[in-house]
Amino acid sequence: MNSNLSTQSEGRPVKAKSSAPDFSHRLAQVADQVETFLVERLGAEVGPGEIVRPPRLMEAMRHAVLGGGKRLRPFLAIETARMLGGAEAAALAAGAGVELVHCYSLVHDDLPAMDNDDMRRGKPTVHKAYDEATAILVGDALQTLAFEVVADPAWQPDPAIRADLVLGLARASGLGGMVGGQLLDLTAEGRFGAVDLGVDDTLRMQAMKTGAILAFSVEAGALVGGANERERAALLRYGHALGQAFQIADDILDREASPEAMGKATGKDKDAGKATLVDRLGLDGARAECDRLVGVCEDAVSQWGEKARVLRDAARFTVARKT
């Protein structure tokens, strides 16, 4: 494991200009470290308590997880922990656990019964590359593997922190978080009868579907880093604002970006009648809300000064990204 994870960017002078090149380098560096960790977890070798790893299942899991994605969620966990002086190995494992849950959600969201997508990250979705039954099992396996990684004492020796990480991930990804938000999203499409979501309803749905996991990524870093109650509250405020900004930026990209740039079909949300703030506020209003939320993020981490530079850059990146 690269020891630079805990020391990279320490001691750098404050820059008056944007630190976007430094941020892009850091994001890519962490993505490589997360990729290495995930490759090791998705190998063919049988793990503790396992009888056999079915080759088709493992191949499809690797198809779903490896070789794509910005790894923003583990990046947030790792960088938050690093800012607070947390253990590198524990932050990496916690972040990888969140990423496995995220990947499982993408596999299931792409299924014909859900969003019915053919492409993800520039390659065929799992149900297209394999079949629907395999895709369902891949999602199931990735979800359980996520909790196995987060609960493993090899990465986090403190049982209280492990318990908090497992509980937080379960809440963020379950019925009151990502899964519940996905159901509200389907409801907004009119799947179960006519419905008209207002701005507050849309914000609630997005806070659950997308925001909860992003916010927990930051909270996981806070747990690993030993944040006190006041610090955790500030970081949660950052995480919730970041999650909201991410979803709005995603909705803008769905309207404006090309399928080639996104690595998946675009324009489907509008065609499906999905509830978005772009519909409620218009493109200019949505961009203004993104800018406001970046300000909330920056204010939330202001107490850490220059130590929070990467987290501030992450907020700006979230709304400025092109994919």
Side-chain angles (χ1 to χ4, degrees):
M1 211 176 298
N2 191 334
S3 61
N4 287 340
L5 190 61
S6 59
T7 59
Q8 182 73 18
S9 74
E10 294 283 344
R12 287 182 178 172
V14 177
K15 296 185 176 182
K17 295 183 179 179
S18 170
S19 53
D22 287 343
F23 176 80
S24 297
H25 172 75
R26 181 67 186 150
L27 184 65
Q29 182 186 53
V30 172
D32 287 344
Q33 293 164 331
V34 173
E35 185 84 359
T36 298
F37 186 92
L38 293 172
V39 167
E40 292 170 353
R41 306 284 82 72
L42 295 171
E45 184 177 349
V46 173
E50 297 176 353
I51 296 173
V52 67
R53 289 190 160 195
R56 180 179 178 82
L57 180 61
M58 298 312 302
E59 180 184 312
M61 289 170 71
R62 288 191 289 270
H63 179 92
V65 173
L66 303 179
K70 292 173 285 292
R71 311 301 189 195
L72 179 61
R73 290 155 189 81
F75 178 85
L76 291 169
I78 289 166
E79 288 303 317
T80 301
R82 184 185 64 82
M83 182 183 74
L84 298 169
E88 174 186 334
L92 177 59
V98 178
E99 184 69 6
L100 287 167
V101 165
H102 173 58
C103 291
Y104 123 69
S105 75
L106 298 181
V107 174
H108 280 190
D109 284 355
D110 289 337
L111 287 166
M114 301 285 278
D115 289 345
N116 193 25
D117 278 313
D118 295 343
M119 299 294 293
R120 171 72 67 179
R121 294 173 174 171
K123 59 185 181 182
T125 50
V126 177
H127 71 275
K128 285 294 183 180
Y130 296 88
D131 58 82
E132 289 184 38
T134 300
I136 292 169
L137 294 173
V138 163
D140 294 344
L142 290 175
Q143 182 189 45
T144 52
L145 179 60
F147 285 96
E148 180 180 344
V149 169
V150 171
D152 193 336
W155 314 113
Q156 174 50 256
D158 188 326
I161 294 177
R162 289 202 308 274
D164 284 345
L165 288 169
V166 169
L167 179 61
L169 183 57
R171 286 175 172 169
S173 61
L175 61 92
M178 181 183 69
V179 172
Q182 180 65 43
L183 192 283
L184 293 180
D185 194 28
L186 295 176
T187 301
E189 293 179 16
R191 294 273 191 111
F192 317 116
V195 64
D196 183 21
L197 265 65
V199 171
D200 289 344
D201 296 321
T202 302
L203 287 172
R204 186 181 304 111
M205 178 270 291
Q206 293 182 342
M208 292 169 65
K209 180 185 174 184
T210 304
I213 284 288
L214 277 163
F216 175 72
S217 301
V218 178
E219 186 179 11
L223 288 167
V224 171
N228 60 37
E229 186 174 343
R230 180 179 61 83
E231 291 171 332
R232 282 183 65 180
L235 288 166
L236 271 177
R237 188 159 68 96
Y238 169 92
H240 287 304
L242 183 76
Q244 189 177 337
F246 182 96
Q247 183 59 62
I248 297 171
D250 218 42
D251 293 338
I252 293 172
L253 285 170
D254 185 68
R255 297 294 176 87
E256 296 189 329
S258 68
E260 292 74 22
M262 294 293 288
K264 62 179 182 179
T266 56
K268 292 189 66 178
D269 288 354
K270 183 175 178 63
D271 294 341
K274 287 183 179 290
T276 73
L277 283 190
V278 174
D279 293 319
R280 305 298 182 261
L281 303 177
L283 282 168
D284 289 342
R287 291 192 185 96
E289 181 63 6
C290 280
D291 291 340
R292 185 191 72 81
L293 289 165
V294 169
V296 173
C297 289
E298 292 179 336
D299 179 69
V301 297
S302 60
Q303 64 184 287
W304 286 282
E306 177 61 12
K307 288 183 177 180
R309 177 176 59 82
V310 174
L311 292 184
R312 289 194 296 272
D313 285 349
R316 298 184 194 113
F317 165 82
T318 292
V319 301
R321 62 197 167 91
K322 301 302 181 185
T323 61

